[in-house]
Amino acid sequence: MNMFEVTRQNFDSLFPKIEYAIENADFISIDTEFTGLYYDEHSKPSLFDNSAERYAKLRYSVQKFTLSQIGLTMFVRNAKDNCYSTQTYHFYLFPFPFGSYDPRFSVQTSSLEFLKKNSFDFNKWVKQGIPFLNNIQERNLTNEMAAGYLFSGLNNDDETELQSLCSKVAAWLPNSKVGDILTLSLPKGSESSYVYHTDLRMRFAHIWTSSNPFDQIVVEHVDKVKRQLLERENHSSHQEYQKQQIIQLLGFTRVFRLLQISQKPVVGHNLLMDLIFMYDKFHNPLPDSYAKFKQDIHKMFPSIFDTKHIHYCIKRFLESALLFTTGNLKELYDGINQNTTILAMLQPKIKHTESGDFPASFPHQAGYDSYMCGVVFLRLCHFLHFQESGSSHFKPCSFKDYLVTMKKFKNSVNLIRAMVSHIKLDGEEVLSLRPPLIFVQSTKAGTRLISQQLAAWFSMYGQVDIQMMNSREAIVAATNFHCAREIISAFRQHPLIKVSKYRFWEHSKLGQRILWGSLAIATVSGLVLLYNA
Amino acid sequence: MNMFEVTRQNFDSLFPKIEYAIENADFISIDTEFTGLYYDEHSKPSLFDNSAERYAKLRYSVQKFTLSQIGLTMFVRNAKDNCYSTQTYHFYLFPFPFGSYDPRFSVQTSSLEFLKKNSFDFNKWVKQGIPFLNNIQERNLTNEMAAGYLFSGLNNDDETELQSLCSKVAAWLPNSKVGDILTLSLPKGSESSYVYHTDLRMRFAHIWTSSNPFDQIVVEHVDKVKRQLLERENHSSHQEYQKQQIIQLLGFTRVFRLLQISQKPVVGHNLLMDLIFMYDKFHNPLPDSYAKFKQDIHKMFPSIFDTKHIHYCIKRFLESALLFTTGNLKELYDGINQNTTILAMLQPKIKHTESGDFPASFPHQAGYDSYMCGVVFLRLCHFLHFQESGSSHFKPCSFKDYLVTMKKFKNSVNLIRAMVSHIKLDGEEVLSLRPPLIFVQSTKAGTRLISQQLAAWFSMYGQVDIQMMNSREAIVAATNFHCAREIISAFRQHPLIKVSKYRFWEHSKLGQRILWGSLAIATVSGLVLLYNA
């Protein structure tokens, strides 16, 4: 399998090709890699989280971290030979500082460890990553460029360099006459002389600057009239130059805007975090309001599919067709590729249209993951379509036919380790299917419960999360009914703790207070829903 | 020039050599590289900062960022041939996540840009960097290891892997009998099986685990008696293993502790930031109190020299001997090496004792910078020593002789862009030698002052910082008297603004209030000092 690796070096030349591929795609699959998962213990996913709480946690972390890779695979069907052509683009992303724009981002050590294990190239990331801006950053930079205040954000080293250029001009100017020329070397490693030209011109009213072929700045002593003339002459080319600079700095955001405009179906695997990252880094700072986030994302991408959610829903169905896999993308991809019997009939072929220049196909490289995800989606579409239509339609079907079949999964995005299994981007919040909470009490006098000890005991039976109520009582959320039943049964006779189903009325202080207190029924029923849903 | 590049791969084998070199050094020069300089605009250095304010700013930033490289050069004098042997060690540093220890750190984009321009190898950094812990992190990890709660801090992927191992054991155990064996493969990419062994044993009372030569975990079904026996047998080897793990995780901190114990003179160039970073990452979280920080650093390193500060103090003196350089380390090093006439007499030779394996000698690589800094220090020692002793001593001198000459610079550490030029680590705060502040008023009705515009106008004459008092008044701090004078003279006739010396009594609201108000004289004199120092 081949794909295009996209870096700062070839981004501009590949851009028209990417644009064409997006415009012509039937659907586009996406994967991202990032510098961290959760910023602190409070933002760690927990089985106690509902959708809005999860959004708040993810928002907090995403604001700290950044995207390091994004993979896009464009799938387009050729009806003649019932074949999907694909193009995969594997982008390295790294924010590029410019003037006062000097973003800070966080890194979670274990996430870099994870990338490292999956052959991530950190030199390529920092040295060749494509920049990006969200709308606010773009606006601020545009304004600052227009005002000419870029240097104020320079770091100390660059400012010292600029300072030194200015001193040279300041020393030379009074001792020179109109028409004299001063040639200045640019500081080593400067990627753009733009800031220097802009700043020198703004500070000295009687000079004009230009570049020579040796990448030096040529300063000419000019009179007021010539200066005004040159400014007028250069006004449009100056503006053009500013526009070009912004386009360079926008980088991947330009691709993101194409995706938005295209309104094509977007497919990802467990892609909530990807969506939140893309919103924050390419669109706008994440809103406080979860509802606003859902609305905006739905407007940007009106047709989203999450293969992890689809697998979760049809797991039993796939098993009945002898396809056993976990929700892990690589396992799902391998399982589907090995299982030729159930999925074979009239299955479309999938191929790469052109050989690219990227030989690696490692899982957890964003490009390859986006490809695997798109393939899995197509296979699941086909499987479900022919299951539902009862195999009576003996002609190959279009992608639109698939979309009709998959409608029930549209805009449902998987949630890991939460109170609910998924988020509905275009509808009401879903109800929890998790088992009731478990209540734990210390039964031995003087014994305090330790959250880690409880986790160690219970997690043997499945994923659990613990919330301490006080030093002798805790609530446990378990991932499924089986796990909850096992825990209650296994610890029935335990010498140190008593486990039981959590009963709000009996076990919570609030419940007790309500039961004996005087709150209105309306409020109470709301709380019951909250705790027993 | 050669030096040793130290990574996770050769750290253990080089450690005894490093230890020997530290113990035998006459002095040790240090340089570090880090992931960021200042975290936000509020923590940017300003000419308005006094020492304590600067410490607070640096503390805030250092807590966010981390060290990426540290360079040490050990200098030892051989009296026989009046020659200093040197050994340079160039360490890559990267925090290593383990169990619940999963540090997050920030990155400033322009700082990575800076490292990139200076040939920094980001793959070596992340993939081969040596870990480190401060005392608190070491204590927490030791406690958690002893309690066996490591898994609670695992990220979701690793926890899922551990979960899957547990499920396999839980399914197998009831259907097996004492003596039966279950072999489990470790998750891909696990660097340490320690967490898995510890956790399985803690969760299942009737198993014992060991490793086989294929890096698998062998689980044996054992009875209570055998389990207790094995636990007792393994107690000491288990503790030994935990101790070894901590030693691995301590990494560079072990070298830092050797530096502390040695109490050898430490030399750096503009090394305040290096000291603050080392305190936070290898010793303890930085204290709130600036006085406590100074005390602690002085206890750790009782003899510190800063070549940037020394250069600042003797700049005129060096110029009289025809050595003209800025305070930039590379320029200073080159200048001193080119200027053979004034510094030559009885100058000690400097050489590397052994050829190491690191060919690169780039500025801003911590190892090379530490080497340059040590060489500059020795040359400045020699220059000052023979200047002061009037060239009448015609025998080579010992390093102790140099230390006597340099005593006046001991424990003075340079401050860039601040109200004072340096910090005295073992004494009272120094007084400011900066020029008086400049007061700026808008003179045209309806015109607001814009901080960036003022900075653009004034910084032509030297470094300046602006503090807006309100929309029509600002205070300007200039780096030196020359710059302040030039500004006041250049803007005397300006059509939009009026500049003058800042007079606290006249220009500040507080001054006005005090003048006309009723505050006691004691308070007033304190404030005058603050604003006019």
Side-chain angles (χ1 to χ4, degrees), chain A residues 7-268:
Chain A
T7 64
R8 221 181 280 182
Q9 252 141 15
N10 62 0
F11 178 69
D12 284 338
S13 63
L14 281 173
F15 188 79
K17 202 176 161 71
I18 297 166
E19 185 169 20
Y20 183 86
I22 290 174
E23 279 168 8
N24 288 282
D26 278 312
F27 72 95
I28 296 156
S29 55
I30 288 188
D31 183 63
T32 69
E33 298 294 330
F34 20 82
T35 62
L37 275 173
Y38 49 93
Y39 189 68
D40 54 25
E41 284 307 304
H42 302 294
S43 48
K44 203 175 168 178
S46 146
L47 289 163
F48 289 99
D49 300 343
N50 65 29
S51 314
E53 285 160 352
R54 177 60 53 84
Y55 170 74
K57 284 183 175 184
L58 293 178
R59 174 176 177 269
Y60 176 73
S61 292
V62 163
Q63 286 171 334
K64 306 275 185 183
F65 299 125
T66 197
L67 287 169
S68 56
Q69 275 185 345
I70 190 159
L72 299 182
T73 302
M74 275 64 96
F75 286 77
V76 56
R77 181 165 184 265
N78 184 339
K80 231 190 300 176
D81 54 0
N82 189 29
C83 170
Y84 282 83
S85 304
T86 68
Q87 276 184 26
T88 297
Y89 294 91
H90 177 72
F91 301 84
Y92 278 90
L93 300 179
F94 195 83
F96 185 68
F98 185 82
S100 67
Y101 175 67
D102 182 11
R104 281 73 164 171
F105 63 84
S106 285
V107 153
Q108 183 172 359
T109 326
S110 60
S111 295
L112 259 62
E113 196 68 21
F114 173 82
L115 291 175
K116 173 186 133 185
K117 284 180 196 162
N118 292 293
S119 311
F120 189 89
D121 188 334
F122 294 96
N123 280 329
K124 221 168 240 172
W125 176 44
V126 180
K127 299 184 182 187
Q128 292 299 328
I130 300 158
F132 50 88
L133 298 175
N134 65 28
N135 296 331
I136 302 300
Q137 290 161 338
E138 182 191 8
R139 198 183 61 198
N140 291 345
L141 262 169
T142 308
N143 291 345
E144 279 188 34
M145 271 197 196
Y149 294 145
L150 285 168
F151 90 101
S152 73
L154 288 184
N155 63 39
N156 223 50
D157 278 1
D158 290 345
E159 196 185 333
T160 307
E161 298 285 6
L162 179 61
Q163 189 50 55
S164 138
L165 291 185
C166 287
S167 313
K168 283 175 192 156
V169 176
W172 164 80
L173 205 56
N175 305 312
S176 67
K177 55 184 189 304
V178 169
D180 281 1
I181 294 282
L182 173 71
T183 309
L184 299 170
S185 292
L186 274 177
K188 242 182 291 173
S190 313
E191 299 224 10
S192 156
S193 58
Y194 176 79
V195 177
Y196 297 103
H197 281 281
T198 314
D199 250 75
L200 286 171
R201 288 183 196 171
M202 192 179 67
R203 290 176 193 219
F204 298 95
H206 289 90
I207 64 161
W208 191 250
T209 66
S210 51
S211 297
N212 71 13
F214 310 105
D215 264 345
Q216 293 171 309
I217 297 183
V218 179
V219 184
E220 187 189 342
H221 190 154
V222 296
D223 58 24
K224 218 174 174 181
V225 180
K226 184 167 180 191
R227 165 76 186 231
Q228 281 171 354
L229 193 75
L230 282 163
E231 258 175 20
R232 267 198 301 277
E233 267 177 18
N234 273 272
H235 184 65
S236 64
S237 75
H238 190 64
Q239 280 191 320
E240 180 56 27
Y241 185 79
Q242 288 186 351
K243 220 176 103 189
Q244 286 306 320
Q245 278 287 348
I246 291 284
I247 288 178
Q248 286 305 313
L249 292 166
L250 274 176
F252 185 82
T253 301
R254 294 167 62 208
V255 176
F256 181 77
R257 290 178 183 170
L258 293 178
L259 287 175
Q260 256 182 277
I261 293 165
S262 79
Q263 303 268 303
K264 293 286 162 80
V266 162
V267 179

Side-chain angles (χ1 to χ4, degrees), chain A residues 441-448 472 495-497:
Chain A
Q441 282 172 296
S442 159
T443 49
K444 205 173 147 188
T447 311
R448 298 167 64 91
R472 300 181 53 82
L496 296 176
I497 57 168

